[in-house]
Amino acid sequence: SSGINAEYGQKAKDRLVAEDEPEPLPDRKVKRELLRPRDHKVDLDSRLGKTMVVTKDSPSAMQGGYYCKVCDCVVKDSINYLDHINGKKHQRNLGMSMKVERSTLEQVKARFDKNKRKREEEERNQAEDYDLERERRSARRR
């Protein structure tokens, strides 16, 4: 009887030691892409105001709400859908990490130049529209 107790006592000690040791990490880590901007417009308006018949047998994509085919889930409203597609689980399913590529000084300067040119173009267009309106008014007065 004491031999059995000693055996079980040793097994219990071995189990406790094994539980205290951390699990060995897998040798290979999954390398995920850095987070990048979407290259498409998120469709939030296509089914807005439309009526659908939904049954218990309807496929997920045809149920009420927004369906995510990447994660195979349905989200009930647009705010939660946007939270979902910007969230960690969805991005991981796309193969991306939540890390963003660090911009270089040249990239930042290029973005500033691009935005400056865009703003100047918009101002020129507004000035041309204004001149066009002034010309129309002066033509009417003549």
Side-chain angles (χ1 to χ4, degrees):
S1 169
S2 67
I4 293 175
N5 286 340
E7 180 184 343
Y8 284 120
Q10 185 59 41
K11 285 184 178 181
K13 286 180 184 176
D14 292 343
R15 189 185 76 233
L16 289 174
V17 168
E19 287 175 357
D20 288 340
E21 292 176 5
E23 288 287 320
L25 294 175
D27 290 339
R28 66 183 187 109
K29 287 187 177 181
V30 176
K31 180 70 175 165
R32 297 187 186 277
E33 256 184 271
L34 293 175
L35 201 58
R36 65 178 190 276
R38 261 187 289 284
D39 57 357
H40 63 280
K41 186 180 183 301
V42 178
D43 179 27
L44 297 176
D45 301 330
S46 68
R47 296 194 291 175
L48 190 65
K50 298 228 178 12
T51 304
M52 312 176 67
V53 176
V54 179
T55 65
K56 65 180 180 175
D57 299 327
S58 296
S60 294
M62 299 306 292
Q63 289 182 0
Y66 295 90
Y67 176 69
C68 174
K69 56 186 164 201
V70 174
C71 303
D72 190 31
C73 66
V74 177
V75 185
K76 295 298 177 192
D77 59 46
S78 61
I79 294 172
N80 287 330
Y81 180 69
L82 288 173
D83 286 344
H84 168 74
I85 63 174
N86 291 325
K88 189 174 189 175
K89 178 184 171 195
H90 181 80
Q91 296 299 327
R92 290 228 169 174
N93 287 343
L94 286 174
M96 289 190 234
S97 70
M98 294 302 286
K99 295 179 181 167
V100 180
E101 179 184 4
R102 200 170 161 91
S103 297
T104 64
L105 179 61
E106 290 77 25
Q107 289 172 323
V108 172
K109 285 180 179 180
R111 178 58 64 109
F112 274 123
D113 288 341
K114 178 181 172 186
N115 288 341
K116 184 178 178 182
R117 284 192 303 274
K118 183 177 175 183
R119 190 177 63 232
E120 289 170 350
E121 181 69 27
E122 288 173 356
E123 288 173 357
R124 269 197 304 275
N125 288 341
Q126 286 178 350
E128 288 172 7
D129 291 344
Y130 176 74
D131 289 344
L132 182 62
E133 286 298 316
R134 190 176 63 203
E135 290 298 323
R136 284 184 187 166
R137 278 188 238 122
S138 66
R140 287 182 188 162
R141 290 180 190 158
R142 293 183 196 155

